Amino acid sequence: MTKKKIFIIGFSTPILKDVVLQLQNDGADIVYWQGYRDYFRSICQDGTNFSGTIFHYATDAIRSIPPVGVDVSAFEPPSRDLIERLSGYEPPALFLIERADYTHWPLARKRHIYYEYIKFWQGMIKKLQPDAIIFPDIPHSGNHYVLYILAKALKIKIVITEQIGVESRTLLVNDYEKSSLNLLADYEANRDKKYRIEDFSPDIKDYYLKHADSTLDATPAYQKRALRRQVPFRTPTFKVIIKHILHLSIFRVTFSYLRMLLMKNEEQFLDAPMRGWRYQLIVKKWIKINRALQAEYAAAQVAPDWTKKFIYIPLNVQPERTTCPQAGVFDDQLLLIETVAHCLPKDWVIYVKENPNQLNLGNIFCHMYRYQGYYKNLSRLSNVHLVPADTSTYDLIRQAQAVATGTGTAGWEALMRLKPVLVFGSVWYMYCPGAWRVMDVISCQQAIDKISNGSQPDKQNVLNYLAALDRNSIKARHFRTLYYQEGSYEKSDFINHGDNVKNLSQALSNAILC
């Protein structure tokens, strides 16, 4: 049997290496592999298992530096016809490229990087003729996104493991804008069934019961980890310095700190690697912006009036793939809010809550989407109010008439609590009855009219949709828990390392090699 030639994009963790080894045993020929993080270096050095693979560091790919040993001098620039075919995807591609701009490149230069990405991927596809391309998540770097849209245009098989709010599950999709059509077809085929909680797999049952019990904290573990994120390149405080003196570790710590300041930083940004001291200065400037935004938000916020009828809009963290590319034009969340506000009944209000992770000082990229005046302008909209970021999202869902979101987890959490949802983006739960897909003022008005007249999700429909998810998703953890290895699993994971690798490998093999 002829082996299928595969591009692997972004696989950079121990478990995903094991998955790739199994794919090779099943008949995959890994002709190109792009990755990042320190662990990827050890993969690149594995000449025994990957002797014929072209390895490419993501930091190089972002800067349009080709893989070692690959001559790109003969690669053709993209034609006008190809650029025009991809033009609908150019705005999100430029926004994704913007994420990697730490030094304020002009827009014209970033547009040329976009063309460079097309040129590179077009050349690599012609050179290596891949049968399929695997992404570990919805592509949300400029470099990966351009490969995705080009592969779509050239009709090359795409397989994405879409990460969803149910942490023990992953969906395989070919097009993020459609998400899982198998999930939709299964639900439609079984929509008249009467599935019960007892019918679910243990992990799905546990997940549902956490959300059904309003007294439990159902905040996903990955969100809690994000809140603990520390500011990089922090200057030691006087208290910390004294502590290290007392523990006789001051010389070791000082050496590490100086090394951090002098070494070149390998962040995935467009410009050449910069020394740590220079990066620290940039980070300090960003933190200053964050503090100003925190003050602006605090000045604009008001306590929610629970006696009012309201639509709850939880803001997504940005930059993140949940809005770009998944929310499309509603990556601009102000546009989303303005659309809902335009359609709001006169006696209703909108409560907007910022994601606590957005203004966390550890989120040094906050300034890319929140800017001076952002919250002031938002609070000036008619009947729109900012509520404190520490307000319980579950209290807001419970009291709301509806929830509006691009693709946020709060939308699915609302459906499980039998609250209708206005969905502005592309997300796995968008096909569930009770989720109203919104594209413009007309569809938004129609949805709100239905909701104001009493339309709400039916519990049986939600249970049936969750049952379809149970059957059509992969029981696996591999992304948000980045470094899962043998022995690092917990009982609450509902899976062990061997089954994790087996489930992912089998699903990918069936999607690509069969």
Side-chain angles (χ1 to χ4, degrees), residues 369-390:
Y369 274 83
R370 306 294 190 264
Y371 42 83
Q372 185 177 1
Y374 184 93
Y375 298 117
K376 288 181 181 178
N377 292 338
L378 195 157
S379 62
R380 287 174 185 150
L381 294 172
S382 177
N383 289 329
V384 175
H385 306 285
L386 286 167
V387 299
D390 60 359

Side-chain angles (χ1 to χ4, degrees), residues 1-4 19-29 502 504-510 513-514:
M1 183 179 69
T2 304
K3 287 192 171 186
K4 296 287 183 71
V19 169
V20 172
L21 288 171
Q22 186 57 52
L23 287 176
Q24 286 193 146
N25 290 337
D26 293 342
D29 179 12
K502 177 183 175 183
L504 277 170
S505 303
Q506 284 184 346
L508 289 170
S509 289
N510 291 338
L513 305 176
C514 296

Side-chain angles (χ1 to χ4, degrees), residues 494-506:
F494 292 98
I495 197 169
N496 58 43
H497 182 81
D499 287 340
N500 207 350
V501 173
K502 177 183 175 183
N503 294 348
L504 277 170
S505 303
Q506 284 184 346

Side-chain angles (χ1 to χ4, degrees), residues 404-416:
T405 181
T407 65
T409 302
W412 173 242
E413 292 171 340
L415 289 171
M416 286 191 291

